């Protein structure tokens, strides 16, 4: 038996222990799994999308030091998720782990909530990324027109829907094609970061170059909150950029040597994304000039694009911005790919409406085609918030992070409080696992509360933060459905449904894999 065959056999055996048969082809190599994770982050286009949060909430000081402070907490979450991914690499990810680790009394309800929060986060993530891509395209048009073109929200929405449809077509392709293109996505993302880190300071005229005291120490509060709270609000930039750590988990059933490749991708993409993101922030603060108000109100409509325009001129900016748009587009493609796998897995366990349809895998492409189109339709509906106000559609960034953090908080806490003897995988944190988990579980709910606040203290129905409406509505309706008399999922939902072995529809017995003990809690922290 060759090395590849041996790895494939172990992957299939581990998946069978978790209750599932092998339905996908394992086309993703460890490098391509890392490519998915890093392209999902997309440091430069993601940073370009959220400069509107960091510039008015602290300016240069928040961009540089806020990024580092937030990243320290972000990394604890990444490590905790990587440890869980190594133990149970399945497309279900966080909701599967929740049911596996939570106490028997609460596991069905928590699994139900985590699944819906996770799905909401990914749909909002697709909406936020593709909306940003549409805005970046209109920014390019504005640059090319000499800044005389100003896109309306209906025009941006039309471009947004076109991007979503194109992503749906791409993500219905064969798994082998989707795996190979990750290498291209990875190369473009990394090269583009270095273009900014090295090229921006070289090209920037002296009138836009800032002193070290301004670039590293100027604190500019433009939105009206207190300085301390404004600094915390600037965390949306790193939290949005370095997020969705479970993205490679959802393709783990398509990955070779998943128990090692997936946590490797999570940790490495987070570290590299944090470092490159910080380096780009430093380069930008030295090259952005001092008129921050103009960057936010520029006719181009994108602060990053205006910074590039000041440094590279019209032609240079158009050339560079084209790559930014392409990279943002690839990030959106990765989001649809991963989100469709999450929807597939949750439907496979019969938790979503039309689960039988959404959980089908196309035999020709080995892709969950119906789940792909479900994601695109939901994201297109979420984009209708733009017709309320620009501030309303901006809330999808906070919604994506908040929903994902709800899911992460519950599953990491359940791992320690659920009364189980956690069986670690190849990647583990040893004695540091518990303190790292505690930091992550305290940080995420705090930021979830922060992200419910509006952009400015003075707000209206049009400019309010719609995160609480959408996320609260989804979780509220899911609870209503769960507790509904007679027809509620409390009466029939029992967590992950195995499709291997007896296939009787009962939840898989994970005691053998996770070491659940009927005698009480037994901790296995490792050494």
């Amino acid at each position: 038996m060759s090395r590849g065959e041996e790895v494939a056999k172990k992957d299939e055996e581990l998946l069978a222990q978790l209750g599932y048969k092998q339905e996908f082809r394992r086309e993703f190599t460890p490098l391509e799994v890392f490519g998915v994770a890093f392209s999902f982050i997309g440091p430069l286009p993601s940073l370009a999308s959220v400069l509107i949060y960091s510039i008015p909430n602290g300016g240069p000081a928040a961009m540089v030091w806020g990024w580092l402070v937030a990243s320290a907490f972000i990394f604890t979450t990444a490590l905790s998720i990587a440890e869980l991914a190594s133990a149970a690499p399945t497309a279900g990810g966080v909701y599967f782990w929740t049911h596996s680790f939570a106490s028997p009394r609460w596991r069905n309800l928590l699994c139900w909530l985590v699944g819906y929060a996770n799905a909401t986060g990914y749909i909002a993530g697709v909406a936020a990324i593709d909306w940003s891509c549409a805005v970046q395209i209109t920014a390019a048009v504005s640059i090319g027109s000499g800044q005389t073109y100003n896109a309306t929200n209906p025009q941006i929405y039309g471009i947004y829907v076109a991007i979503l449809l194109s992503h749906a077509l791409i993500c219905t392709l064969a798994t082998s094609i989707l795996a190979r293109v990750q290498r291209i996505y990875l190369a473009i993302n990394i090269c583009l970061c270095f273009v900014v880190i090295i090229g921006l300071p070289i090209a920037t005229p002296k009138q836009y170059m800032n002193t070290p005291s301004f670039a590293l120490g100027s604190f500019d509060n433009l939105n009206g909150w207190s300085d301390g709270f404004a600094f915390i609000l600037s965390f949306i930039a790193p939290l949005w950029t370095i997020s969705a750590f479970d993205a490679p988990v959802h393709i783990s059933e398509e990955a070779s040597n998943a128990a090692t490749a997936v946590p490797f991708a999570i940790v490495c993409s987070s570290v590299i994304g944090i470092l490159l993101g910080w380096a780009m922030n430093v380069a930008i603060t030295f090259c952005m000039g001092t008129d921050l108000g103009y960057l936010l109100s520029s006719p181009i409509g994108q602060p990053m694009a205006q910074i590039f325009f000041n440094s590279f001129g019209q032609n240079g900016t158009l050339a560079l911005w084209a790559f930014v748009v392409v990279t943002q587009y690839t990030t959106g493609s990765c989001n649809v790919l991963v989100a469709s796998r999450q929807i597939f897995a949750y439907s496979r366990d019969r938790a979503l409406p039309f689960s039988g349809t959404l959980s089908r895998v196309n035999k020709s492409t080995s892709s969950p085609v119906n789940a792909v189109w479900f994601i695109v339709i939901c994201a297109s509906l979420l984009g209708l918030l733009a017709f309320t106000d620009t501030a309303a559609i901006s809330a999808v960034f906070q919604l994506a992070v908040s929903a994902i953090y709800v899911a992460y908080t519950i599953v990491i806490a359940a791992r320690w409080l659920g009364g189980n003897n956690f069986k670690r995988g190849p990647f583990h944190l040893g004695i540091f696992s518990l303190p790292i988990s505690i930091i992550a579980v305290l940080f995420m709910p705090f930021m979830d509360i922060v992200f419910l606040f509006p952009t400015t203290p003075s707000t209206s129905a049009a400019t309010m933060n719609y995160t609480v409406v959408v996320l609260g509505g989804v979780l509220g309706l899911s609870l209503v459905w769960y507790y509904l008399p007679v027809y509620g999922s409390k009466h029939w939902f029992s967590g992950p449904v195995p499709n291997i072995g007896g296939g009787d529809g009962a939840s898989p017995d994970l005691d053998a894999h996770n070491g659940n003990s009927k005698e009480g809690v037994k901790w296995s922290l490792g050494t």
Side-chain angles (χ1 to χ4, degrees):
M1 182 182 295
S2 68
R3 168 64 177 165
E5 291 172 336
E6 183 180 349
V7 169
K9 183 180 179 181
K10 288 182 178 179
D11 282 330
E12 191 168 341
E13 289 174 350
L14 177 56
L15 186 60
Q17 290 177 23
L18 299 174
Y20 300 114
K21 64 184 179 182
Q22 187 70 51
E23 294 185 81
F24 294 105
R25 300 185 188 124
R26 291 191 180 266
E27 297 281 3
F28 286 81
T29 66
L31 175 63
E32 289 157 354
V33 176
F34 170 71
V36 169
F38 192 78
S39 297
F40 205 98
I41 292 172
L44 179 56
S46 294
L47 186 59
S49 301
V50 291
L51 272 184
I52 56 172
Y53 295 101
S54 52
I55 288 178
N57 290 303
M63 292 168 64
V64 175
W65 307 117
W67 183 280
L68 286 182
V69 172
S71 294
F73 291 101
I74 291 168
F75 193 53
T76 63
T77 306
L79 289 172
S80 297
I81 295 296
E83 190 173 37
L84 296 175
S86 184
T90 175
V94 290
Y95 84 83
F96 180 94
W97 303 334
T98 301
H99 193 273
S100 175
F101 303 138
S103 68
R105 180 180 179 183
W106 298 106
R107 61 175 45 164
N108 288 347
L109 173 60
L110 291 178
C111 174
W112 180 263
L113 287 175
V114 165
Y116 273 93
N118 200 215
T120 302
Y122 274 105
I123 291 170
V126 169
I129 290 169
D130 281 5
W131 183 266
S132 296
C133 188
V135 171
Q136 289 168 3
I137 289 172
T138 61
V141 177
S142 177
I143 294 169
S145 67
Q147 304 185 33
T148 59
Y149 171 76
N150 289 302
T152 63
N153 277 349
Q155 290 171 333
I156 297 174
Y157 183 79
I159 299 171
Y160 166 72
V161 171
I163 293 170
L164 283 171
L165 293 175
S166 66
H167 281 157
L169 294 175
I170 290 173
C171 291
T172 56
L173 296 174
T175 304
S176 59
I177 298 175
L178 296 174
R180 300 299 90 81
V181 297
Q182 300 308 317
R183 302 186 181 206
I184 301 172
Y185 292 176
L186 177 61
I188 294 174
N189 265 291
I190 292 178
C191 290
L192 201 55
C193 291
F194 282 103
V195 168
V196 173
I197 295 169
I198 299 172
L200 188 62
I202 294 174
T204 302
K206 288 184 178 181
Q207 65 263 36
Y208 293 111
M209 290 294 295
N210 294 321
T211 62
S213 61
F214 180 88
L216 303 178
S218 177
F219 191 92
D220 296 84
N221 183 356
L222 306 180
N223 280 343
W225 292 106
S226 66
D227 286 352
F229 192 65
F231 184 75
I232 294 173
L233 284 174
S234 74
F235 288 2
I236 185 62
L239 264 67
W240 164 254
T241 304
I242 317 297
S243 62
F245 308 108
D246 62 325
V249 176
H250 295 301
I251 61 164
S252 58
E253 294 178 29
E254 302 165 73
S256 176
N257 198 15
T260 299
V262 170
F264 170 84
I266 294 171
V267 174
C268 290
S269 63
S270 299
V271 171
I272 297 173
I274 287 170
L275 294 177
L276 288 177
W278 183 76
M280 285 191 291
N281 270 301
V282 172
I284 291 167
T285 59
F286 272 95
C287 304
M288 65 194 301
T290 58
D291 191 350
L292 305 187
Y294 180 71
L295 293 179
L296 295 170
S297 61
S298 161
I300 294 178
Q302 265 273 341
M304 183 76 85
Q306 184 61 52
I307 293 169
F308 286 174
F309 185 85
N310 293 342
S311 299
F312 297 105
Q314 181 175 2
N315 293 334
T317 300
L318 282 173
L320 180 58
W321 199 249
F323 283 98
V324 173
V325 172
V326 169
T327 310
Q328 181 79 340
Y329 184 86
T330 62
T331 301
S333 174
C334 286
N335 269 258
V336 175
L337 168 67
V338 170
S340 67
R341 271 52 177 179
Q342 194 278 340
I343 294 297
F344 156 79
Y346 205 35
S347 300
R348 179 175 60 184
D349 294 326
R350 306 171 189 173
L352 288 172
F354 313 109
S355 287
T357 300
L358 296 176
S359 62
R360 291 176 188 167
V361 176
N362 185 280
K363 294 182 180 179
S364 300
T365 63
S366 293
S367 298
V369 174
N370 295 337
V372 170
W373 285 104
F374 175 81
I375 289 291
V376 167
I377 291 171
C378 289
S380 64
L381 293 175
L382 191 56
L384 292 174
L385 282 172
F387 292 94
T388 301
D389 189 84
T390 302
I393 189 63
S394 296
V396 295
F397 292 96
Q398 290 110 315
L399 174 62
V401 177
S402 297
I404 291 289
Y405 272 15
V406 168
Y408 291 173
T409 300
I410 293 174
V411 69
I412 294 173
R415 177 254 167 108
W416 294 102
L417 302 176
N420 67 83
N421 184 20
F422 176 73
K423 182 179 179 181
R424 68 193 189 192
F427 174 84
H428 60 89
L429 302 174
I431 61 174
F432 299 104
S433 184
L434 179 57
I436 287 174
S437 295
I438 290 173
I439 294 171
V441 167
L442 292 176
F443 175 70
M444 289 186 288
F446 171 72
M447 292 309 304
D448 268 345
I449 294 171
V450 170
F451 288 158
L452 297 180
F453 283 80
T455 303
T456 63
S458 301
T459 190
S460 64
T463 60
M464 68 172 282
N465 186 337
Y466 279 81
T467 298
V468 66
V469 176
V470 179
L471 181 58
V474 171
L475 296 183
L477 289 174
S478 69
L479 280 173
V480 170
W481 187 11
Y482 186 83
Y483 285 109
L484 195 68
V486 182
Y487 300 103
S489 57
K490 181 181 180 180
H491 305 289
W492 51 265
F493 179 73
S494 57
V497 179
N499 60 11
I500 198 170
D504 58 0
S507 294
D509 182 4
L510 298 175
D511 289 352
H513 182 73
N514 294 313
N516 288 340
S517 172
K518 297 179 181 179
E519 300 175 355
V521 179
K522 297 179 181 178
W523 303 106
S524 178
L525 295 177
T527 55

